[in-house]
Each structure stands twice: as C-alpha cells, then as structure tokens.
Amino acid sequence: MMDLTQKQWVGHALTHPVEGFEDMRWKKAGSLKIALLIIVLLFFGEIAYGRLYGFQFYVSYDKTFNIIPYIVRSFVLFAVWVTGNWSVCTLLDGEGTLRNICIYSAYALIPYTAQLYINVLLSHFLVRDEYVFMQIIELIGVGWTALLLFSAIKSVHQYSFRKTVLALLLTVAAMLIMLFLLVLFMSLIQQIYIFISTVYTELSYRAKV
C-alpha cells in the first residue's frame, strides 16, 4: 500500500471514493488540522454563497449581517453529525473513533465546499440562461459528497452496505433529536436571561424610587 503525505491522502480519498477511505484506515492516515481547515472553508463558503452571490441570480434583502446562521450551517451541523454518528455507531458496534469520524466526514465535504466557491465565482460571469451549468456543478458537488460520506462511514466503522444505510438513517434521526434539544436549551437560556434582566430592571427602578 502506498505511502502518501497528509495532503496526498486528501486527494486519494477524493479520487477513489470506493477504496480511498479504506486505504486511509489501514494506513492510519488523516489530519485533524486539515479537517478543521475544511470546516473553516465550509463556513466561509456558506457566507460567500449567502452574501456574495451574483445579483442576477440572487438578491439579499437582509440589511444586517447575522453570522449565527452560517455558524449553524457549518460548525454546529458538522459537530452534531460527528457526535450523532459516533453515538449511534457505538451502539451498532462500529469501529470508528470520534477522531476518525471527524476527519473522514470533513474530507467528504470537500466537493460540496468547492462547489460553493465555484458557483459564487460563476454567478458573476454567467447570465441567467446559463444557470443550468451552475446547477450541474452543484449537483455534482452534492452527489460526490454524498458518495464520499457513505464510503467514509462504511470504511471507518467496517460496516456492510445495509448496515451503513441503517447507520446513516439513525445518525440523521439522532441529529434531529440533538438539534431539537439544542433549540429547547437555547430557548430556556433566553427565558432565564429575560427573567433576570426583568428582575434587575425592576429592582433598579425601586431602588431609585
């Protein structure tokens, strides 16, 4: 089996969706630094897609910039995915560690992340009649990432095809549950903050009176 640098392993995983992650597993390859860089690029790609798209294809009516949705669509969703998959696959006797799930999943997101930047760039040069080319690029990016993600989970946990499908479905279910609980938690924090703020305002008013 080949000896590659960490950067070369990224290319190997991308161009060999069937056996690339399997080779990485046996060689214990993969870099957390590269994985984090990919998620950071995903974060900026989501911002570019939402704010810098060509005006002939998309017009943003937001007067203020809110960074929270982009953090959720990148860092939060990725963290929930990794945690959910690790939790589910621990119960399904998966062999993948939290570190490997994080690395393999991040590598699988490269085509999706790349198509964000490519389409943002093309949106400033193409006309509306040529939008089909951007749709094709988006479809390729999403489809390629889906294939890589399936292969990554299958390889990291050493699952069969059917068990990988089951693991992915359960992971999505776990993500929905965690996101629901996260929303409830944030709502609770907000209510507590409002209550404390109201009490403080009331006490301050009475102290002045």
Side-chain angles (χ1 to χ4, degrees), residues 94-135:
E95 298 182 11
T97 62
L98 196 62
R99 177 182 182 275
N100 285 344
I101 295 172
C102 177
I103 293 173
Y104 291 18
S105 297
Y107 284 14
L109 288 174
I110 292 178
Y112 174 80
T113 303
Q115 66 85 22
L116 291 176
Y117 289 96
I118 293 173
N119 276 338
V120 168
L121 181 63
L122 290 178
S123 69
H124 293 278
F125 295 97
L126 301 182
V127 297
R128 292 189 65 88
D129 292 340
E130 299 171 324
Y131 181 61
V132 63
F133 297 109
M134 298 167 63
Q135 289 179 312

Side-chain angles (χ1 to χ4, degrees), residues 64-81:
T64 59
F65 175 70
N66 186 1
I67 199 173
I68 300 300
Y70 304 107
I71 293 177
V72 171
R73 287 203 291 263
S74 53
F75 294 106
V76 174
L77 277 181
F78 182 76
V80 170
W81 162 267

Side-chain angles (χ1 to χ4, degrees), residues 37-198:
L37 175 61
I38 293 169
I39 303 306
V40 171
L41 290 174
L42 173 63
F43 168 68
F44 286 111
E46 292 287 357
I47 293 178
Y49 193 86
R51 308 295 299 186
L52 302 178
Y53 221 68
F55 68 91
Q56 65 267 41
F57 297 102
Y58 173 75
V59 178
S60 176
Y61 296 97
D62 299 331
K63 294 182 179 180
T64 59
F65 175 70
N66 186 1
I67 199 173
I68 300 300
Y70 304 107
I71 293 177
V72 171
R73 287 203 291 263
S74 53
F75 294 106
V76 174
L77 277 181
F78 182 76
V80 170
W81 162 267
V82 172
T83 305
N85 184 259
W86 176 78
S87 302
V88 167
C89 293
T90 297
L91 300 176
L92 296 178
D93 298 323
E95 298 182 11
T97 62
L98 196 62
R99 177 182 182 275
N100 285 344
I101 295 172
C102 177
I103 293 173
Y104 291 18
S105 297
Y107 284 14
L109 288 174
I110 292 178
Y112 174 80
T113 303
Q115 66 85 22
L116 291 176
Y117 289 96
I118 293 173
N119 276 338
V120 168
L121 181 63
L122 290 178
S123 69
H124 293 278
F125 295 97
L126 301 182
V127 297
R128 292 189 65 88
D129 292 340
E130 299 171 324
Y131 181 61
V132 63
F133 297 109
M134 298 167 63
Q135 289 179 312
I136 292 174
I137 292 174
E138 182 177 1
L139 183 62
I140 293 174
V142 173
W144 194 356
T145 284
L147 177 61
L148 290 174
L149 203 55
F150 182 89
S151 177
I153 298 304
K154 183 176 183 296
S155 298
V156 75
H157 294 297
Q158 291 296 283
Y159 283 161
S160 63
F161 180 88
R162 293 179 60 182
K163 198 167 184 179
T164 303
V165 173
L166 175 63
L168 291 174
L169 293 176
L170 292 177
T171 299
V172 172
M175 289 177 66
L176 293 175
I177 293 173
M178 285 190 289
L179 289 173
F180 176 71
L181 294 176
L182 181 61
V183 170
L184 288 181
F185 176 75
M186 295 301 296
S187 177
L188 177 62
I189 294 297
Q190 184 180 27
Q191 293 299 321
I192 293 175
Y193 172 78
I194 293 174
F195 173 75
I196 295 176
S197 177
T198 303

Side-chain angles (χ1 to χ4, degrees), residues 4-52:
L4 305 176
T5 65
Q6 294 294 357
K7 293 180 180 180
Q8 289 173 328
W9 275 114
V10 176
H12 181 70
L14 289 177
T15 55
H16 299 79
V18 177
E19 72 275 7
F21 290 106
E22 193 70 33
D23 294 338
M24 283 181 59
R25 179 180 178 274
W26 287 112
K27 294 292 290 186
K28 297 182 179 357
S31 169
L32 274 175
K33 291 182 180 179
I34 294 178
L36 178 59
L37 175 61
I38 293 169
I39 303 306
V40 171
L41 290 174
L42 173 63
F43 168 68
F44 286 111
E46 292 287 357
I47 293 178
Y49 193 86
R51 308 295 299 186
L52 302 178

